[in-house]
């Protein structure tokens, strides 16, 4: 199920911060109450390989997101305790020491299941035992959501496990969303901050194509 154009699900999820505090975090409320955009990125597992590179990349860009009135939230299905252990592991040991944004600990998979981003290839019900058997790791793909100040999902994307994200693309998308909100124009292919956008009508696209393509 696609969530673009819809309200992000309102669910309270355990989260961990760099101080070791476990608390409830509601992504929708973070956007609406704070009047900020949210970039929520899911990764498969703590203490793995591609994942720490992404967490450090979002941390390195945190100041740029903050300039854009945007909150960063990481998420996986690990427990808060495992998050905290990883936060206390040095970079040269594969850890994420130095990450300061909150990490969702969706260990009951309520939010991940609602979003439909779990690595489940099939489910089989055993009538004799009453047990549902799952094929797949039952962890999340690399799903990313951009949520606006009203809690509406403006972007969602899902990478398979081996494919790391380009953090600069999410900065570009936040810039594009802000431009649309403030200028009322639409952003064409390969648009970046400072480049021409266009009016969403036949004249606008004709003028843009004549000048740029």
């Amino acid at each position: 199920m696609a969530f673009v154009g819809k309200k992000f699900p309102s669910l309270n999820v355990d989260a961990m911060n760099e101080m070791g505090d476990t608390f409830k975090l509601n992504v929708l409320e973070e956007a609406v109450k704070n009047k900020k955009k949210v970039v929520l990125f899911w990764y498969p597992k703590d203490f793995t390989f591609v994942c720490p590179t992404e967490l450090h990349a979002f941390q390195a860009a945190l100041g740029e997101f903050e300039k854009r009135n945007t909150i960063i939230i990481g998420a996986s299905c690990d427990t808060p305790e495992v998050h905290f252990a990883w936060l206390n592991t040095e970079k040269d040991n594969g850890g994420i020491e130095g990450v300061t944004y909150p990490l969702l600990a969706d260990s009951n998979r309520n939010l991940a299941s609602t979003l439909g981003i779990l690595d489940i290839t099939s489910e089989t019900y055993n009538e004799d035992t009453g047990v549902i058997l799952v094929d797949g790791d039952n962890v999340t793909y690399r799903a990313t959501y951009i949520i606006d100040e009203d809690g509406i999902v403006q972007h969602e994307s899902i990478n398979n496990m081996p494919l790391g994200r380009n953090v600069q693309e999410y900065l570009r998308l936040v810039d594009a969303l802000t431009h649309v909100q403030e200028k009322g124009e639409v952003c064409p292919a390969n648009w970046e901050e400072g480049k021409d956008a266009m009016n969403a009508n036949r004249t606008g696209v004709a003028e843009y194509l004549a000048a740029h393509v």
Side-chain angles (χ1 to χ4, degrees), residues 1-209:
M1 176 181 176
F3 280 85
V4 169
K6 303 180 179 72
K7 285 269 189 184
F8 192 81
S10 181
L11 289 174
N12 295 321
V13 182
D14 283 341
M16 170 64 66
N17 63 25
E18 81 276 15
M19 302 302 294
D21 301 319
T22 300
F23 58 99
K24 293 291 185 182
L25 191 151
N26 185 307
V27 176
L28 177 66
E29 290 181 359
E30 287 295 301
V32 174
K33 288 187 176 180
N34 294 305
K35 280 296 170 188
K36 292 180 181 289
K37 297 177 179 68
V38 173
V39 174
L40 170 66
F41 73 98
W42 294 81
Y43 60 92
K45 297 178 184 178
D46 293 356
F47 292 99
T48 52
F49 317 113
V50 175
C51 298
T53 69
E54 293 190 312
L55 272 77
H56 286 300
F58 275 105
Q59 180 65 37
L62 191 60
E64 291 301 316
F65 284 106
E66 289 173 346
K67 289 177 187 177
R68 293 160 170 81
N69 195 42
T70 301
I71 299 168
I72 297 295
I73 300 172
S76 78
C77 296
D78 295 278
T79 65
E81 294 80 11
V82 175
H83 280 341
F84 190 53
W86 204 26
L87 284 163
N88 281 282
T89 303
E90 299 84 356
K91 283 184 183 181
D92 58 7
N93 268 331
I96 57 166
E97 186 179 44
V99 166
T100 60
Y101 49 82
L103 300 178
L104 295 186
D106 188 31
S107 56
N108 59 18
R109 290 162 171 74
N110 285 341
L111 183 54
S113 295
T114 300
L115 296 171
I117 57 174
L118 289 167
D119 172 24
I120 299 175
T121 55
S122 67
E123 297 181 27
T124 304
Y125 177 70
N126 187 316
E127 294 184 359
D128 294 332
T129 63
V131 173
I132 297 175
L133 301 176
V134 172
D135 289 326
D137 289 338
N138 202 24
V139 298
T140 65
Y141 294 107
R142 299 186 192 282
T144 314
Y145 299 84
I146 298 177
I147 302 150
D148 71 15
E149 296 88 343
D150 295 317
I152 304 299
V153 177
Q154 297 291 337
H155 166 89
E156 66 178 307
S157 60
I158 302 176
N159 291 7
N160 208 347
M161 309 300 187
L163 306 177
R165 282 162 281 214
N166 184 337
V167 172
Q168 294 303 311
E169 172 64 3
Y170 298 103
L171 285 168
R172 188 192 75 83
L173 286 168
V174 169
D175 285 340
L177 174 56
T178 302
H179 186 93
V180 170
Q181 290 172 324
E182 295 179 351
K183 306 294 185 182
E185 297 178 314
V186 294
C187 297
N190 299 322
W191 182 90
E192 295 176 346
E193 183 63 44
K195 291 185 176 181
D196 290 337
M198 62 187 189
N199 292 318
N201 53 46
R202 292 186 66 181
T203 300
V205 69
E207 291 175 349
Y208 181 87
L209 292 175

